[in-house]
Coordinates of all heavy atoms in Angstrom, one line a residue:
M145 N -37.3 30.3 -38.0 CA -36.4 29.2 -37.4 C -35.4 29.7 -36.3 O -34.7 30.6 -36.4 CB -35.6 28.6 -38.6 CG -34.8 27.4 -38.1 SD -33.9 26.8 -39.6 CE -32.6 25.8 -38.8
T146 N -35.6 29.0 -35.2 CA -34.7 29.5 -34.0 C -33.7 28.4 -33.9 O -33.9 27.2 -34.0 CB -35.7 29.5 -32.6 OG1 -36.3 28.2 -32.5 CG2 -36.7 30.5 -32.8
E147 N -32.5 28.9 -33.5 CA -31.4 28.1 -33.4 C -31.2 27.9 -31.9 O -31.1 28.8 -31.0 CB -30.2 28.8 -33.9 CG -29.1 27.8 -34.1 CD -27.9 28.5 -34.8 OE1 -28.2 29.1 -35.8 OE2 -26.7 28.2 -34.3
E148 N -31.2 26.6 -31.4 CA -30.9 26.3 -29.9 C -29.5 26.6 -29.6 O -28.6 26.4 -30.4 CB -31.2 24.9 -29.7 CG -32.7 24.5 -29.6 CD -32.8 23.1 -29.0 OE1 -32.1 22.6 -28.3 OE2 -33.9 22.5 -29.5
P149 N -29.4 27.2 -28.4 CA -28.0 27.4 -27.9 C -27.2 26.1 -27.9 O -27.9 25.1 -27.4 CB -28.1 28.1 -26.7 CG -29.5 27.7 -26.1 CD -30.3 27.6 -27.4
R150 N -26.0 26.1 -28.1 CA -25.2 24.9 -28.2 C -25.0 24.5 -26.7 O -24.7 25.3 -25.8 CB -23.8 25.1 -28.8 CG -24.0 25.0 -30.3 CD -22.6 25.1 -30.9 NE -21.8 24.0 -30.5 CZ -20.6 23.8 -31.0 NH1 -20.0 24.9 -31.8 NH2 -19.8 22.7 -30.7
R151 N -25.3 23.3 -26.5 CA -25.1 22.8 -25.1 C -23.6 22.7 -24.7 O -22.8 22.1 -25.5 CB -25.7 21.5 -24.9 CG -27.3 21.6 -24.8 CD -27.8 20.2 -24.3 NE -29.3 20.4 -24.3 CZ -30.1 19.4 -23.8 NH1 -29.4 18.4 -23.4 NH2 -31.4 19.6 -23.7
R152 N -23.3 23.2 -23.6 CA -22.0 23.0 -23.1 C -21.7 21.6 -22.7 O -22.5 21.0 -22.0 CB -21.6 24.0 -22.0 CG -21.9 25.4 -22.4 CD -21.8 26.2 -21.1 NE -20.6 27.1 -21.1 CZ -20.2 27.8 -20.0 NH1 -20.9 27.7 -18.9 NH2 -19.2 28.4 -20.0
P153 N -20.5 21.1 -23.0 CA -20.2 19.7 -22.5 C -20.2 19.7 -21.0 O -19.7 20.7 -20.4 CB -18.9 19.4 -23.2 CG -18.3 20.8 -23.5 CD -19.4 21.7 -23.7
I154 N -20.6 18.6 -20.5 CA -20.5 18.4 -19.0 C -19.1 17.9 -18.6 O -18.5 17.0 -19.1 CB -21.5 17.3 -18.6 CG1 -22.9 17.8 -19.0 CG2 -21.5 17.0 -17.1 CD1 -24.0 16.8 -18.9
L155 N -18.5 18.8 -17.8 CA -17.2 18.4 -17.3 C -17.2 17.4 -16.2 O -18.0 17.6 -15.3 CB -16.4 19.6 -17.0 CG -16.3 20.6 -18.2 CD1 -15.6 21.9 -17.6 CD2 -15.4 20.1 -19.2
R156 N -16.4 16.4 -16.2 CA -16.3 15.4 -15.1 C -14.9 15.5 -14.6 O -14.0 15.5 -15.4 CB -16.7 14.0 -15.6 CG -18.2 13.9 -16.0 CD -18.5 12.6 -16.5 NE -19.8 12.5 -17.1 CZ -20.9 12.3 -16.4 NH1 -20.9 12.1 -15.1 NH2 -22.2 12.2 -17.1
L157 N -14.9 15.3 -13.3 CA -13.5 15.2 -12.8 C -13.1 13.7 -12.9 O -13.8 12.7 -12.7 CB -13.6 15.5 -11.3 CG -13.7 16.9 -10.9 CD1 -14.0 17.1 -9.4 CD2 -12.6 17.7 -11.3
K158 N -11.9 13.5 -13.3 CA -11.4 12.1 -13.4 C -11.3 11.4 -12.2 O -11.7 10.3 -12.0 CB -10.1 12.1 -14.1 CG -10.2 12.1 -15.6 CD -8.8 12.0 -16.3 CE -8.9 12.0 -17.8 NZ -7.6 12.0 -18.4
N159 N -10.7 12.2 -11.2 CA -10.6 11.6 -9.8 C -11.4 12.5 -8.8 O -10.9 13.4 -8.3 CB -9.2 11.6 -9.4 CG -8.4 10.7 -10.3 OD1 -8.8 9.5 -10.5 ND2 -7.4 11.1 -10.9
P160 N -12.7 12.2 -8.7 CA -13.4 13.2 -7.8 C -13.0 13.0 -6.4 O -12.6 11.9 -5.9 CB -14.9 12.6 -7.9 CG -14.7 11.3 -8.5 CD -13.5 11.2 -9.3
P161 N -12.9 14.2 -5.6 CA -12.5 14.1 -4.3 C -13.4 13.2 -3.4 O -14.6 13.2 -3.6 CB -12.5 15.5 -3.8 CG -13.4 16.2 -4.8 CD -13.4 15.5 -6.0
K162 N -12.9 12.5 -2.5 CA -13.6 11.6 -1.7 C -14.3 12.5 -0.6 O -13.6 13.5 0.0 CB -12.7 10.6 -1.0 CG -12.4 9.5 -1.9 CD -11.6 8.5 -1.3 CE -11.1 7.4 -2.2 NZ -10.1 6.5 -1.6
V163 N -15.6 12.3 -0.5 CA -16.3 13.1 0.4 C -16.3 12.3 1.8 O -16.8 11.2 1.9 CB -17.7 13.4 0.1 CG1 -18.5 14.2 1.1 CG2 -17.7 14.2 -1.3
I164 N -15.8 12.9 2.8 CA -15.8 12.3 4.1 C -16.8 12.9 5.0 O -16.9 14.1 5.2 CB -14.5 12.4 4.8 CG1 -13.3 11.7 3.9 CG2 -14.5 11.8 6.2 CD1 -12.0 12.0 4.4
V165 N -17.8 12.0 5.4 CA -19.0 12.5 6.1 C -18.6 12.3 7.6 O -18.2 11.2 8.1 CB -20.1 11.7 5.9 CG1 -21.5 12.2 6.7 CG2 -20.6 11.7 4.4
P166 N -18.6 13.5 8.3 CA -18.2 13.3 9.8 C -19.2 12.4 10.5 O -20.4 12.4 10.2 CB -18.4 14.7 10.3 CG -18.6 15.6 9.1 CD -19.0 14.7 7.9
G167 N -18.6 11.6 11.4 CA -19.5 10.6 12.1 C -19.7 9.3 11.4 O -20.1 8.3 12.0
A168 N -19.5 9.3 10.0 CA -19.7 8.1 9.4 C -18.5 7.1 9.6 O -17.4 7.6 9.8 CB -19.9 8.2 7.9
P169 N -18.8 5.8 9.5 CA -17.6 4.8 9.7 C -16.8 5.0 8.6 O -17.2 5.3 7.4 CB -18.3 3.5 9.8 CG -19.6 3.7 9.1 CD -20.0 5.2 9.4
P170 N -15.5 4.8 8.8 CA -14.5 4.8 7.7 C -14.8 3.8 6.6 O -15.4 2.6 7.1 CB -13.1 4.7 8.4 CG -13.4 4.0 9.6 CD -14.9 4.4 10.1
P171 N -14.5 3.9 5.4 CA -14.7 3.0 4.4 C -13.9 1.7 4.7 O -12.7 1.8 5.2 CB -14.2 3.6 3.1 CG -13.3 4.7 3.5 CD -13.8 5.2 4.8
P172 N -14.4 0.6 4.5 CA -13.7 -0.7 4.8 C -12.5 -0.8 4.0 O -12.4 -0.6 2.8 CB -14.7 -1.8 4.5 CG -15.6 -1.3 3.5 CD -15.7 0.3 3.8
S173 N -11.3 -1.1 4.7 CA -10.1 -1.3 4.0 C -10.1 -2.6 3.3 O -10.7 -3.5 3.8 CB -8.9 -1.2 4.9 OG -9.1 -2.1 6.0
P174 N -9.5 -2.8 2.2 CA -9.4 -4.0 1.5 C -8.7 -5.1 2.4 O -7.8 -4.8 3.1 CB -8.6 -3.8 0.3 CG -7.8 -2.6 0.6 CD -8.7 -1.8 1.4
P175 N -9.2 -6.4 2.3 CA -8.6 -7.4 3.2 C -7.1 -7.6 2.8 O -6.8 -7.5 1.7 CB -9.5 -8.6 2.8 CG -10.0 -8.4 1.6 CD -10.2 -7.0 1.4
P176 N -6.4 -7.9 3.8 CA -4.9 -8.1 3.6 C -4.7 -9.3 2.7 O -5.6 -10.3 2.8 CB -4.3 -8.3 5.0 CG -5.5 -8.8 5.9 CD -6.7 -8.1 5.2
P177 N -3.7 -9.3 1.9 CA -3.5 -10.5 1.2 C -3.2 -11.7 2.0 O -2.4 -11.7 2.9 CB -2.3 -10.2 0.2 CG -1.6 -9.1 1.0 CD -2.7 -8.4 1.7
A178 N -3.9 -12.8 1.6 CA -3.7 -14.0 2.4 C -2.5 -14.8 2.0 O -2.3 -15.1 0.8 CB -4.9 -14.9 2.4
H179 N -1.7 -15.2 2.8 CA -0.6 -16.1 2.7 C 0.4 -15.7 1.6 O 0.5 -16.1 0.5 CB -1.1 -17.4 2.3 CG -2.1 -18.0 3.3 ND1 -2.0 -17.6 4.7 CD2 -3.0 -19.0 3.2 CE1 -3.0 -18.2 5.3 NE2 -3.6 -19.0 4.5
D180 N 1.1 -14.6 1.9 CA 2.2 -14.1 1.0 C 3.5 -15.1 1.0 O 4.3 -15.2 0.1 CB 2.7 -12.7 1.4 CG 1.7 -11.7 1.1 OD1 1.0 -11.8 -0.1 OD2 1.5 -10.8 1.9
W181 N 3.6 -15.8 2.1 CA 4.8 -16.5 2.5 C 4.3 -17.9 2.9 O 3.2 -18.1 3.4 CB 5.6 -15.9 3.5 CG 6.1 -14.5 3.0 CD1 5.5 -13.3 3.2 CD2 7.3 -14.2 2.4 NE1 6.2 -12.4 2.7 CE2 7.4 -12.9 2.3 CE3 8.4 -15.0 2.0 CZ2 8.4 -12.3 1.6 CZ3 9.5 -14.4 1.3 CH2 9.5 -13.0 1.2
K182 N 5.3 -18.8 2.8 CA 5.1 -20.2 3.3 C 6.2 -20.5 4.2 O 7.4 -20.3 3.9 CB 5.1 -21.2 2.2 CG 3.8 -21.4 1.6 CD 3.7 -22.6 0.7 CE 2.2 -22.9 0.4 NZ 1.9 -24.2 -0.3
C183 N 5.9 -21.0 5.4 CA 6.9 -21.5 6.3 C 7.7 -22.6 5.8 O 7.2 -23.5 5.3 CB 6.0 -21.8 7.6 SG 7.2 -22.6 8.8
K184 N 9.1 -22.4 5.8 CA 9.9 -23.6 5.3 C 9.8 -24.8 6.1 O 9.7 -26.0 5.6 CB 11.4 -23.1 5.2 CG 11.6 -22.4 3.8 CD 13.1 -22.1 3.7 CE 13.4 -21.2 2.5 NZ 14.8 -20.8 2.4
P185 N 9.9 -24.7 7.4 CA 9.8 -25.9 8.3 C 8.5 -26.7 8.1 O 8.5 -27.9 8.1 CB 9.9 -25.4 9.7 CG 10.7 -24.1 9.5 CD 10.2 -23.5 8.3
C186 N 7.4 -26.1 8.0 CA 6.0 -26.8 8.1 C 5.2 -26.5 6.9 O 4.2 -27.2 6.6 CB 5.3 -26.5 9.3 SG 4.4 -24.9 9.4
G187 N 5.5 -25.5 6.0 CA 4.7 -25.3 4.9 C 3.4 -24.5 5.0 O 2.6 -24.3 4.1
A188 N 3.2 -24.0 6.2 CA 2.0 -23.2 6.5 C 2.1 -21.8 5.9 O 3.1 -21.2 5.8 CB 1.7 -23.0 8.0
G189 N 1.0 -21.3 5.4 CA 1.0 -20.1 4.8 C 0.8 -19.0 5.8 O 0.3 -19.1 7.0
L190 N 1.4 -17.8 5.6 CA 1.5 -16.7 6.7 C 1.7 -15.4 5.9 O 2.3 -15.4 4.7 CB 2.6 -16.9 7.6 CG 4.0 -16.8 7.2 CD1 4.8 -15.8 8.1 CD2 4.6 -18.1 7.1
S191 N 1.3 -14.4 6.3 CA 1.4 -13.0 5.9 C 2.1 -12.1 7.0 O 2.0 -12.4 8.1 CB 0.2 -12.4 5.4 OG -0.8 -12.3 6.3
V192 N 2.8 -11.2 6.5 CA 3.6 -10.3 7.5 C 2.8 -8.9 7.4 O 2.6 -8.3 6.3 CB 5.0 -10.1 6.9 CG1 5.7 -9.2 7.9 CG2 5.8 -11.4 6.9
A193 N 2.4 -8.5 8.6 CA 1.6 -7.2 8.6 C 2.5 -6.1 8.3 O 3.7 -6.0 8.6 CB 1.1 -7.0 10.1
A194 N 2.0 -5.2 7.6 CA 2.7 -4.0 7.0 C 3.1 -3.2 8.1 O 4.2 -2.3 8.0 CB 2.0 -3.3 6.0
E195 N 2.4 -3.1 9.2 CA 2.7 -2.2 10.2 C 3.8 -2.7 11.2 O 4.2 -1.9 12.2 CB 1.5 -1.8 11.1 CG 0.8 -3.0 11.8 CD -0.3 -3.7 11.0 OE1 -0.3 -3.4 9.7 OE2 -1.3 -4.3 11.4
L196 N 4.3 -3.9 11.0 CA 5.3 -4.5 11.8 C 6.7 -3.7 11.6 O 7.0 -3.2 10.4 CB 5.6 -5.9 11.6 CG 4.7 -6.9 12.2 CD1 5.1 -8.4 11.7 CD2 4.8 -6.8 13.7
E197 N 7.4 -3.4 12.7 CA 8.7 -2.8 12.5 C 9.6 -3.7 11.9 O 9.4 -5.0 12.0 CB 9.1 -2.3 13.8 CG 8.5 -1.1 14.4 CD 9.0 -0.8 15.8 OE1 10.2 -1.0 16.0 OE2 8.2 -0.3 16.7
D198 N 10.6 -3.3 11.2 CA 11.6 -4.1 10.6 C 12.3 -5.1 11.5 O 12.7 -6.2 11.2 CB 12.6 -3.3 9.8 CG 12.2 -2.7 8.5 OD1 11.0 -2.9 8.1 OD2 12.8 -1.9 7.9
A199 N 12.6 -4.6 12.8 CA 13.1 -5.5 13.8 C 12.2 -6.5 14.3 O 12.7 -7.4 15.1 CB 13.8 -4.6 14.8
A200 N 11.0 -6.4 14.1 CA 10.0 -7.3 14.7 C 10.2 -8.7 14.3 O 10.4 -9.0 13.0 CB 8.5 -6.8 14.5
E201 N 10.1 -9.6 15.2 CA 10.3 -11.0 14.9 C 9.0 -11.7 14.3 O 7.9 -11.3 14.8 CB 10.6 -11.8 16.2 CG 11.3 -13.0 16.1 CD 11.7 -13.5 17.5 OE1 10.8 -14.0 18.2 OE2 12.9 -13.4 17.9
V202 N 9.1 -12.4 13.3 CA 8.0 -13.0 12.6 C 8.0 -14.6 12.8 O 9.1 -15.2 12.7 CB 8.0 -12.8 11.1 CG1 6.8 -13.5 10.4 CG2 8.0 -11.2 10.8
R203 N 7.1 -15.0 13.4 CA 7.0 -16.4 13.7 C 5.9 -17.1 12.9 O 4.9 -16.4 12.6 CB 6.7 -16.7 15.3 CG 7.9 -16.4 16.2 CD 7.7 -16.6 17.5 NE 8.9 -16.5 18.4 CZ 9.8 -17.5 18.6 NH1 9.5 -18.6 18.2 NH2 10.9 -17.2 19.4
C204 N 6.1 -18.4 12.6 CA 5.1 -19.0 12.0 C 3.8 -19.3 12.9 O 3.9 -19.7 13.9 CB 5.6 -20.5 11.5 SG 4.3 -21.6 10.9
P205 N 2.6 -19.0 12.4 CA 1.4 -19.1 13.1 C 1.1 -20.6 13.4 O 0.2 -21.0 14.3 CB 0.3 -18.4 12.4 CG 0.8 -18.4 11.0 CD 2.3 -18.4 11.0
S206 N 1.6 -21.4 12.7 CA 1.3 -22.8 12.8 C 2.3 -23.6 13.7 O 1.9 -24.3 14.6 CB 1.3 -23.5 11.4 OG 0.9 -24.9 11.5
C207 N 3.7 -23.5 13.4 CA 4.6 -24.3 14.1 C 5.4 -23.3 15.1 O 6.3 -24.0 15.8 CB 5.5 -25.1 13.2 SG 6.7 -24.0 12.3
N208 N 5.2 -22.1 15.0 CA 5.9 -21.1 16.0 C 7.4 -21.1 15.7 O 8.1 -20.5 16.6 CB 5.5 -21.5 17.4 CG 5.7 -20.2 18.3 OD1 5.3 -19.1 17.8 ND2 6.2 -20.3 19.5
A209 N 7.9 -21.4 14.5 CA 9.3 -21.3 14.4 C 9.5 -19.9 14.0 O 8.7 -19.2 13.4 CB 9.6 -22.2 13.0
K210 N 10.8 -19.4 14.5 CA 11.1 -18.1 14.1 C 11.7 -18.0 12.7 O 12.6 -18.8 12.3 CB 12.2 -17.7 15.0 CG 12.6 -16.2 14.9 CD 13.9 -15.8 15.7 CE 14.3 -14.5 15.3 NZ 15.6 -14.0 16.0
L211 N 11.0 -17.2 11.9 CA 11.3 -17.3 10.4 C 12.1 -16.2 10.1 O 12.9 -16.3 9.0 CB 10.0 -17.2 9.7 CG 8.9 -18.2 9.9 CD1 7.7 -17.9 9.2 CD2 9.4 -19.6 9.7
G212 N 12.3 -15.1 10.8 CA 13.0 -14.0 10.5 C 12.3 -12.7 11.1 O 11.4 -12.7 11.8
T213 N 13.0 -11.5 10.7 CA 12.4 -10.3 11.0 C 11.5 -9.8 10.0 O 11.6 -10.2 8.7 CB 13.4 -9.3 11.4 OG1 14.2 -9.0 10.3 CG2 14.4 -9.7 12.4
A214 N 10.6 -8.8 10.3 CA 9.8 -8.3 9.2 C 10.6 -7.6 8.1 O 10.2 -7.6 7.0 CB 8.8 -7.3 9.9
G215 N 11.8 -7.0 8.5 CA 12.6 -6.4 7.6 C 13.2 -7.4 6.6 O 13.3 -7.1 5.4
D216 N 13.5 -8.7 7.1 CA 13.9 -9.7 6.2 C 12.9 -10.0 5.1 O 13.2 -10.3 4.1 CB 14.2 -11.0 7.0 CG 15.5 -10.8 8.0 OD1 16.3 -9.9 7.6 OD2 15.6 -11.6 8.8
F217 N 11.7 -10.0 5.6 CA 10.6 -10.3 4.6 C 10.5 -9.2 3.5 O 10.0 -9.7 2.5 CB 9.2 -10.6 5.4 CG 9.1 -11.9 6.0 CD1 9.6 -12.1 7.3 CD2 8.4 -12.9 5.4 CE1 9.6 -13.4 7.8 CE2 8.3 -14.1 6.0 CZ 8.8 -14.4 7.2
R218 N 10.7 -8.0 3.9 CA 10.6 -7.0 2.9 C 11.8 -6.8 2.0 O 11.8 -6.0 1.0 CB 10.3 -5.7 3.7 CG 9.0 -5.6 4.4 CD 8.7 -4.4 5.1 NE 7.6 -4.5 6.0 CZ 7.7 -4.3 7.3 NH1 8.8 -3.9 7.9 NH2 6.7 -4.5 8.0
A219 N 13.0 -7.4 2.4 CA 14.1 -7.3 1.6 C 13.9 -8.0 0.2 O 13.2 -8.9 0.1 CB 15.3 -7.9 2.2
D220 N 14.5 -7.3 -0.8 CA 14.3 -7.9 -2.1 C 15.8 -7.9 -2.8 O 16.4 -6.9 -3.0 CB 13.4 -7.0 -2.9 CG 13.2 -7.6 -4.3 OD1 13.2 -8.9 -4.4 OD2 12.9 -6.9 -5.3
P221 N 16.4 -9.1 -2.9 CA 15.7 -10.4 -2.7 C 15.8 -10.7 -1.2 O 16.6 -10.2 -0.5 CB 16.5 -11.4 -3.5 CG 17.9 -10.8 -3.6 CD 17.6 -9.2 -3.6
P222 N 14.9 -11.7 -0.7 CA 14.9 -12.0 0.7 C 16.3 -12.7 1.0 O 16.9 -13.5 0.2 CB 13.7 -13.0 0.9 CG 13.0 -12.9 -0.4 CD 13.9 -12.3 -1.5
P223 N 16.8 -12.4 2.2 CA 18.0 -13.0 2.6 C 17.9 -14.5 2.8 O 16.8 -15.1 3.1 CB 18.3 -12.2 3.9 CG 17.1 -11.9 4.4 CD 16.1 -11.5 3.3
A224 N 19.1 -15.2 2.6 CA 19.1 -16.7 2.7 C 18.6 -17.1 4.0 O 18.2 -18.2 4.1 CB 20.4 -17.2 2.2
K225 N 18.9 -16.4 5.0 CA 18.5 -16.8 6.4 C 17.0 -16.9 6.6 O 16.6 -17.5 7.6 CB 19.2 -15.9 7.4 CG 18.7 -14.5 7.4 CD 19.3 -13.6 8.5 CE 18.8 -12.2 8.4 NZ 19.4 -11.3 9.4
L226 N 16.4 -16.3 5.7 CA 14.8 -16.2 5.9 C 14.3 -17.6 5.8 O 14.6 -18.3 4.9 CB 14.2 -15.3 4.8 CG 12.7 -14.9 5.0 CD1 12.6 -14.1 6.3 CD2 12.2 -14.3 3.9
R227 N 13.6 -18.0 6.8 CA 13.0 -19.4 6.8 C 11.6 -19.4 6.4 O 10.8 -20.1 6.9 CB 13.1 -20.0 8.2 CG 14.5 -20.0 8.7 CD 14.6 -20.6 10.1 NE 14.3 -22.0 10.2 CZ 13.9 -22.6 11.4 NH1 13.7 -21.9 12.5 NH2 13.6 -24.0 11.4
A228 N 11.4 -18.7 5.2 CA 10.1 -18.8 4.6 C 10.3 -18.6 3.1 O 11.3 -17.8 2.7 CB 9.2 -17.8 5.1
R229 N 9.5 -19.0 2.3 CA 9.6 -18.6 0.9 C 8.3 -18.0 0.3 O 7.3 -18.3 0.9 CB 10.0 -20.0 0.1 CG 9.0 -21.1 0.3 CD 9.6 -22.3 -0.4 NE 8.9 -23.6 0.2 CZ 7.8 -24.1 -0.1 NH1 7.0 -23.5 -1.1 NH2 7.2 -25.1 0.4
P230 N 8.4 -17.2 -0.8 CA 7.3 -16.5 -1.3 C 6.3 -17.6 -1.6 O 6.6 -18.5 -2.3 CB 7.8 -15.7 -2.3 CG 9.3 -15.6 -2.1 CD 9.8 -16.8 -1.4
A231 N 5.0 -17.3 -1.3 CA 4.0 -18.2 -1.8 C 3.5 -17.8 -3.1 O 3.4 -16.6 -3.4 CB 2.8 -18.2 -0.8
K232 N 3.0 -18.8 -3.9 CA 2.3 -18.3 -5.2 C 1.0 -17.7 -5.0 O 0.3 -18.1 -4.1 CB 2.2 -19.7 -6.0 CG 3.5 -20.1 -6.5 CD 3.3 -21.4 -7.3 CE 4.6 -22.1 -7.6 NZ 4.4 -23.4 -8.3
R233 N 0.8 -16.7 -5.7 CA -0.5 -16.1 -5.6 C -1.6 -16.8 -6.6 O -1.3 -17.1 -7.7 CB -0.5 -14.6 -6.1 CG 0.6 -13.9 -5.1 CD 0.0 -12.7 -4.6 NE 0.8 -12.1 -3.7 CZ 0.5 -11.0 -3.0 NH1 -0.7 -10.4 -3.1 NH2 1.4 -10.4 -2.2
Ligands
ZN89 ZN1 5.7 -23.4 10.3

C-alpha cells in the first residue's frame, strides 16, 4: 500500500495585482453617477465633475443658472447659498 503525498493547498492572492499590458487600452472607468444634484430654479438634474477646482463655477446645464462653486457642492453640509439640492439616488 502506497501512501500518496499530501497535496499542498493552492494559495490564492486575495487581491491579485492588476496586469497592465503595454499598448492595451486602459480599462473603462465606471460611468459617472448621473444627477447627484437638482437645480433649485428649474429642477434639472446635474452632476459636478470631480476634477473641477473648488473655485470653479457650476452652472445648471438646463437653465444656465449659477448654482455655486464646485467647492460649495463638496462641502458637508452644503452651504445655504448653494442653489441646488442633493438628488435622490
Ligand atoms: Zn436649472
